[in-house]
Amino acid sequence: MIYLPLGGAGEIGMNAYVYGYGAQDKERLILVDLGVTFSDMDTSPGVDLIFPDITWLAENKDRLEAVFITHGHEDHVGAVGHYWDKLGVPVYARAFTANLARHKMADRGQPEEEIKIVSPWPQMTRAGPFSVGFLPISHSIPESAALVIDTPAGRVIHSGDFKLDETPVVGEPFDPDLWADVCKDGVKALICDSTNVFSRTPGRSEASVGPEIVDLVTNAPNMVVATTFASNVARVKTLAEAGERAGRSICLMGRAMRRMIEASIQTGVLTSFPKVVSPEDARTIPRENLMLLVTGSQGERRAASAQLARGKYNGIQLKEGDLFLFSSKTIPGNERGVIRIMNQFSEMGVDIVDDESGRYHVSGHANRPDLERLQDIVNPQMVIPNHGEHRHLREHARLTLERGRGSVVAVNGTMVDITGDAPMVCGFVETGRTYLDGATQIGAMDGIVRDRIRMALNGHVVVTVILDEEDEPLGEAWCEVKGLPEQGRSQAPLVDVLEEDLSQFLGRASEKTLGDDDKLEMELRRIARNTCNDEIGKKPEVTMIISRLR
Amino acid sequence: MIYLPLGGAGEIGMNAYVYGYGAQDKERLILVDLGVTFSDMDTSPGVDLIFPDITWLAENKDRLEAVFITHGHEDHVGAVGHYWDKLGVPVYARAFTANLARHKMADRGQPEEEIKIVSPWPQMTRAGPFSVGFLPISHSIPESAALVIDTPAGRVIHSGDFKLDETPVVGEPFDPDLWADVCKDGVKALICDSTNVFSRTPGRSEASVGPEIVDLVTNAPNMVVATTFASNVARVKTLAEAGERAGRSICLMGRAMRRMIEASIQTGVLTSFPKVVSPEDARTIPRENLMLLVTGSQGERRAASAQLARGKYNGIQLKEGDLFLFSSKTIPGNERGVIRIMNQFSEMGVDIVDDESGRYHVSGHANRPDLERLQDIVNPQMVIPNHGEHRHLREHARLTLERGRGSVVAVNGTMVDITGDAPMVCGFVETGRTYLDGATQIGAMDGIVRDRIRMALNGHVVVTVILDEEDEPLGEAWCEVKGLPEQGRSQAPLVDVLEEDLSQFLGRASEKTLGDDDKLEMELRRIARNTCNDEIGKKPEVTMIISRLR
């Protein structure tokens, strides 16, 4: 039996884990989760979404039995619509997750019915030599499940993202007795979430934030706006109920916020939720009687919170004395965006409350003591850390080894044999990232995004030269610059200096050079870069266009 | 008397504060601090440094008497070399700060002797109607000083960056009695650092980290590497002494690290520091007897820590079981870079310790209770918050008003009359940012950087068309793309589809259109963008080059 992460091991995001059972290189396979991760200006400007590279899996799709989705977060289900046609197998998920996954299939024109709804444990789904059950576990989204993966080689538990919350507000509480029962006959391997391995105190329950939020909302004199991840339905409910208790009308703003509550109600995850008003109606309600629940806790520029920070959104505008609550943690890398919004609100006189005090947010992931507790309950022969950067996986493996169980740091592409008593690395496959860039998929390493980054850092010079039938320059070189200063050291326009230097070269260039595109291009490029360096202290990207009339 | 922030109020970075005394619009002026801030990919790709826009001050330089620098951090002194020639007045600083400032003048070919060394309080420097004294205060760099600014209108205290540290390891402890004495005859205004206004517990002393660091370094079995801001000389000394106590040779790596220690010794700030070895010698020392102190606590790509994370630096390479200590806090926005390094070290098997526990780093700024304490000691009529984003200034002003003193949120460009009992906004001047971009200064708003960001997000298409003497197209349109996928929906090369669509248009374009550069350009640009949108779902930047043989 093998375990092979294709995404999510060595990074937080784009989870995709393969399990295999059978003779070497002929294993029958299942895939657990198929997520995305998000781009940033530093490494992937202009990219819309980032996917794990599943080339290996697509090449072996005749061996693939099914896909199982643990829960509905984007980093676990986000690629289903984009990648389904490369795999062509049924996708199993619990009702709430399936609801979200079907939207994703529909968005990409894929068959929604390939998303199959399964009931939680003790139901098991057969997929070749595998039998897979969805064992409920608490997390920051409804119906999160660990997977119980049985093969003739034994039982494996794939934790999915989880916390040990016995009062999760929405959905099933963590049930240690049920878990102990599932694991009592022996578990070969626990493949386990590592996100919070560096947090040394036990995680807090979702229920603990309720009273604090009620206090805050009740005492707010004017309008209250709160943001959290829309998928954190328990939190959205807690916020809405706090508003209701304070006599406020609740208005949901942002597409994801509405879609998540809708999905929760459709699938029976939410059996009660305060009555909500439309943004149109909200405008007519006195602000001290209003509470908005909005998307954009990470400072996303197009989300409701960012739009409110810039001015009006859906006809509503925040004012001096309103309260804005971030019932959320800022994910590393999103700080600048969040701080930008905070300052925009500050300029409006809006009071901002964030999670610095730890009162208005709890994490959805298991902390170190919780990881230890789960190991004790599951009592597996080995624990393989996943869902973490290298440092998380390493710490989690160390923790496991210290507690006398087998472990290994297996990053994306590492094939691990988990048949024996301890994990054994048995191979490597090519992995990486692919980008959704507008309407096309591009490789992370094929130079397209690298060129964009270079243009952003260095600017871009375009040089055109026209040569006549005799390879003689027709007129002078012509330059256009983009993203570069208009003039430099000589105080003359940069394009003039460039054209002068390039034309001078053309005037003295040999017949041989002028007749040879490659040589001419190389020389002109070198001159263009050097002239820019002399003038403005930058060596830009250069595009050369040599037109020949012959 | 007026106060006018040109930088640093409404942001953390590029501090520049003007004080004026005299008849309206004829005030004689002094400038306090002249700092820089740093670029990022999101807003300023390719930019080398960011400066406050001091156009207003340069236009009024006949009224400017002098510049005073509170301390040697880049956000307070970094622009001195670049801007001195625009101002042309003497620059006063204490010895250590002056040492750094002179390097900056020399780097830009400016006269070092214009940096004048002053002694701390009670020495006062006259500058027109102003008399300015440097009142020592603790911070995370040696010889930080508040300024005592006297005019006939009364005494103003400009706090500079500070904390209230009575055991600062290096430099003068905060002396509440001296401060009380300086302020006993009444202070009109306290202009005060706001960075940590949201931190609700009193700040901890620099001396508190020493024992923790000694413990950590003594118990490390292999090589120890530690990073912190090089300018935090007290911390560097604490780290070095911990290494020495553990029997380790100390090696400084990174230019800033060596320069800061050099400046500290030259100016007498450091009277003792463990003997250091060169990187060459370090290579011959057993790793368990070695401690490196390196630059790059913020993950900067070219600093020593990032280079060690990528492999060898100065012939030294970290190994399994070595310890890397971040004796520093990650500044918001730098998380990704720091995390990248942590994971690279994790891959090498290096153990990483950061400040999550709060044991190995303390802030250099006054927390909320410290701000309150300073207000009590100085007892000013008003407090004007500076050195903070809008949310910090607002909170600090609120805190002040609640305590019964006058205050105002004065962001960059806000001219405040501080002559009376309470601050009064009396005008606004244009401010903003200018960029050092390679060798030239460019405006933040003049479109150059905007074009770079657009190329990074959207890619760039270059279209060239040659028209003959009769305005007839000579051959077909020619396209080059940069930062775009090679092919899109039609599976043909993108440039082929572009050239086809553009050439078709040229074939059917009217004589009038072909004869009109603007019209032709507009049409071709539109077609190029639409074709790209159809093919690849992106609307790129387009550069059009129309060459006419006529």
Side-chain angles (χ1 to χ4, degrees), chain A residues 40-42 45-46 198 320 332-336 339 342-343 346-347 349-351 356 389-391 394 398 437-440 442 448 451-453 455-457 459-460 462 464 466 474 478 480 482-489 535-538 541-545 547 549, chain B residues 40-42 45-46 198 320 332-336 339 342-343 346-347 349-351 356 389-391 394 398 437-440 442 448 451-453 455-457 459-460 462 464 466 474 478 480 482-489 535-538 541-545 547 549:
Chain A
D40 62 70
M41 265 307 268
D42 288 278
F198 290 111
E320 175 96 34
N334 296 340
E335 288 79 3
R336 280 206 192 97
I339 289 173
M342 287 183 171
N343 284 310
S346 180
E347 285 171 32
V350 172
D351 294 322
E356 208 156 296
E389 298 163 11
H390 193 282
R391 61 193 176 117
R394 181 161 171 262
R398 172 149 60 183
D437 189 54
T440 54
I442 60 177
I448 294 167
D451 279 352
R452 282 191 216 151
I453 293 172
M455 288 191 288
L457 293 173
H460 192 191
V462 181
T464 59
I466 304 175
L474 203 62
W478 181 269
E480 298 272 348
K482 210 173 187 75
L484 290 171
E486 276 176 26
Q487 61 175 43
R489 289 206 176 86
E535 282 292 303
I536 58 169
K538 288 180 93 83
E541 302 306 293
V542 178
T543 292
M544 286 292 322
I545 300 180
S547 307
L549 300 188
Chain B
D40 60 71
M41 264 309 268
D42 289 277
F198 289 111
E320 173 95 34
N334 296 339
E335 288 79 3
R336 280 207 194 97
I339 288 173
M342 286 183 172
N343 283 312
S346 180
E347 286 172 31
V350 172
D351 294 322
E356 208 157 293
E389 299 163 10
H390 193 281
R391 61 194 174 117
R394 179 160 173 263
R398 170 148 62 180
D437 189 55
T440 53
I442 61 177
I448 294 167
D451 280 351
R452 281 191 219 155
I453 292 173
M455 287 191 288
L457 293 175
H460 192 189
V462 181
T464 59
I466 305 174
L474 203 62
W478 181 268
E480 297 271 348
K482 214 176 182 71
L484 289 172
E486 276 175 27
Q487 62 176 44
R489 287 204 178 88
E535 282 292 303
I536 58 168
K538 289 181 90 86
E541 302 305 294
V542 177
T543 292
M544 287 291 322
I545 301 178
S547 307
L549 299 187

Side-chain angles (χ1 to χ4, degrees), chain B residues 320-331:
Chain B
E320 173 95 34
D322 287 342
L323 174 74
F324 193 98
L325 169 64
F326 284 87
S327 182
S328 54
K329 186 198 137 196
T330 304
I331 294 173

Side-chain angles (χ1 to χ4, degrees), chain B residues 480-517:
Chain B
E480 297 271 348
V481 303
K482 214 176 182 71
L484 289 172
E486 276 175 27
Q487 62 176 44
R489 287 204 178 88
S490 67
Q491 305 296 317
L494 175 62
V495 286
D496 290 359
V497 182
L498 276 167
E499 287 169 3
E500 167 96 25
D501 286 358
L502 293 164
S503 297
Q504 269 191 16
F505 168 80
L506 288 174
R508 67 173 189 261
S510 69
E511 222 171 280
K512 204 178 143 201
T513 301
L514 291 173
D516 180 341
D517 272 4

